[in-house]
Each structure stands twice: as C-alpha cells, then as structure tokens.
Amino acid sequence: MDIEQARYNMVEQQIRPWDVLDQDVLNLLFKLRREDFVPEAHQALAFVDMEIPLGHGQAMWTPKLEARVIQELAIRPTDRVLEIGTGSGYLTALLAMNAAEVVSTEIFPEFSAAAGRKLLAHGIENVTLHVADAARDWPDEAGFDIIVLTGSTPLLSGAFRNRLRIGGRMFAITGSAPVMEAQLITCTAPGAFRSVTLFETCVTELVNAPQPTAFVF
C-alpha cells in the first residue's frame, strides 16, 4: 500500500467532502501519522472510512469525524483541554498539537498505557493521562477551555458544563442509537451556555454514561 497516497485519498475523498476545509486542520492530518495509533491488527484500515475496533467494545472514530471535531473546536495555543476517553490516543494527539495542555481520562488501563507510549514516540509531552471513570464528571477546579467526550451519552452531565471556562467549548454526542446529535456547547457567561447541533451521527456509548430515568407503570 502506498501510505502517502492512501492518506491523501482519505483527506480528499472523505474529509474535505465533510466540510472540513480549514487548511491548518488538513495540514495536521498529513503531519500526524494516523496509522501509528491504529492497533497493529487493523493497520491496513488506518485510512478507511470506518470505526476501527480497539477492544472492550470500543472503537476509533472515523477519520472524517476526528477532523470535523478538531475544526469545530477551533483550538487555540493557550487552551487547556479535557478529553473523556483516550482510546487509541490519536484524537488526544490531534488535540495536543493545537493546545497548551491536554488532560485525558480513560477507563481501560491498557488503552491509556498504549496511548502513552504512542504519544511519547511522537514527542508529544503536553498530555496528562489518567485511568479513571469520568463519564459523569472530572473534578478539576482549574476548569477547561475545551472538553471533548469521545463516546456518546444519552444524557449529558451538567457537571461538564460547569468545568468550562468563559468562552470554552464542549463537543458531545448525545442521545441514543440509531440517531444521535453532535453538539457544540459554548459557555457564554457564568452559568450561561449556547448549544448548536452540528450533525447527526452514531458512536459507541461511554462506559457508565448517565441514563434517562425509566418510567415504571
């Protein structure tokens, strides 16, 4: 396989048509080698428009979703980022290459350990990894400019909104299969938020995500 041709095709045939046109984002996709973060057994699928299995019922996002999220968040070099769900570490790396600091939490220890090795191999040192269940909150009083939930959640915990600094943005996929909504939530003032629905999608749910209360008749 011609790796660079496959990467070019991924960008031109999957990512650009999905309204990812920010040249800085596209340049980043050429710079950071996605194939290095894909599990070895699935490396031939590194540039395919599909979710790549990671184990434990989890999967990498599609390339176009990763790129679209990075574009929508408009990360600044001074931003402090919280990622819920480290997974393969590829999105972590994309975030880190644009931000000042990334705090990334992962419930599966082997995912966190593998991601740490890959980030180190790429010289990415502004990431702090934690093994923890953070589907409902991550206690950090310093707050964040960016929060990304890498799994879906039927209900979005209000605790995450309260971790956003003024002007901060959060990306979350809410709802239940088969139709979920990708939302960009911005903190406009203390306790005030604006939410925009970006598109519909369907991704794996966060482990221990908050659930709606079931009605009992």
Side-chain angles (χ1 to χ4, degrees):
M1 180 175 67
D2 184 334
I3 291 286
E4 294 312 317
Q5 185 63 50
R7 195 186 326 278
Y8 177 84
N9 292 344
M10 174 188 74
V11 170
E12 295 300 321
Q13 297 172 13
Q14 299 173 41
I15 292 171
R16 274 192 194 274
W18 225 48
D19 293 329
V20 180
L21 304 175
D22 184 315
Q23 194 58 49
D24 289 340
V25 174
L26 299 177
N27 290 343
L28 184 58
L29 300 177
F30 283 106
K31 182 178 180 181
L32 185 65
R33 296 170 58 86
R34 189 175 198 266
E35 65 273 22
D36 293 348
F37 291 83
V38 172
E40 189 172 353
H42 300 297
Q43 284 196 337
L45 305 174
F47 308 108
V48 177
D49 184 17
M50 65 172 287
E51 294 185 342
I52 296 176
L54 296 174
H56 296 289
Q58 307 301 304
M60 289 180 72
W61 281 352
T62 62
K64 65 187 181 187
L65 180 55
E66 293 163 342
R68 180 72 179 273
V69 170
I70 294 297
Q71 176 176 271
E72 295 290 349
L73 288 170
I75 304 165
R76 299 174 297 238
T78 55
D79 281 346
R80 185 168 190 252
V81 179
L82 172 64
E83 179 188 39
I84 306 300
T86 310
S88 72
Y90 180 65
L91 186 68
T92 317
L94 290 174
L95 294 165
M97 291 180 76
N98 282 330
E101 177 190 1
V102 176
V103 176
S104 185
T105 68
E106 173 57 58
I107 198 168
F108 298 110
E110 59 267 46
F111 287 2
S112 187
R117 292 191 294 270
K118 293 168 186 174
L119 292 166
L120 188 61
H122 280 263
I124 297 171
E125 299 178 344
N126 60 332
V127 176
T128 303
L129 299 174
H130 297 275
V131 176
D133 178 3
R136 296 167 185 261
D137 189 16
W138 179 250
D140 187 311
E141 299 309 317
F144 297 92
D145 304 289
I146 301 285
I147 298 177
V148 181
L149 277 63
T150 66
S152 63
T153 180
L155 294 176
L156 180 59
S157 170
F160 289 123
R161 290 186 179 88
N162 296 332
R163 302 288 174 202
L164 281 177
R165 296 170 175 171
I166 307 302
R169 289 88 64 207
M170 173 166 56
F171 178 84
I173 297 172
T174 60
S176 301
V179 177
M180 304 174 183
E181 292 185 338
Q183 296 187 331
L184 184 67
I185 298 161
T186 304
C187 180
T188 56
F193 303 91
R194 181 181 69 249
S195 180
V196 176
T197 298
L198 301 172
F199 49 84
E200 291 184 348
T201 188
C202 192
V203 301
T204 305
E205 189 174 294
L206 285 172
V207 176
N208 298 330
Q211 300 292 324
T213 302
F215 287 103
V216 178
F217 295 97

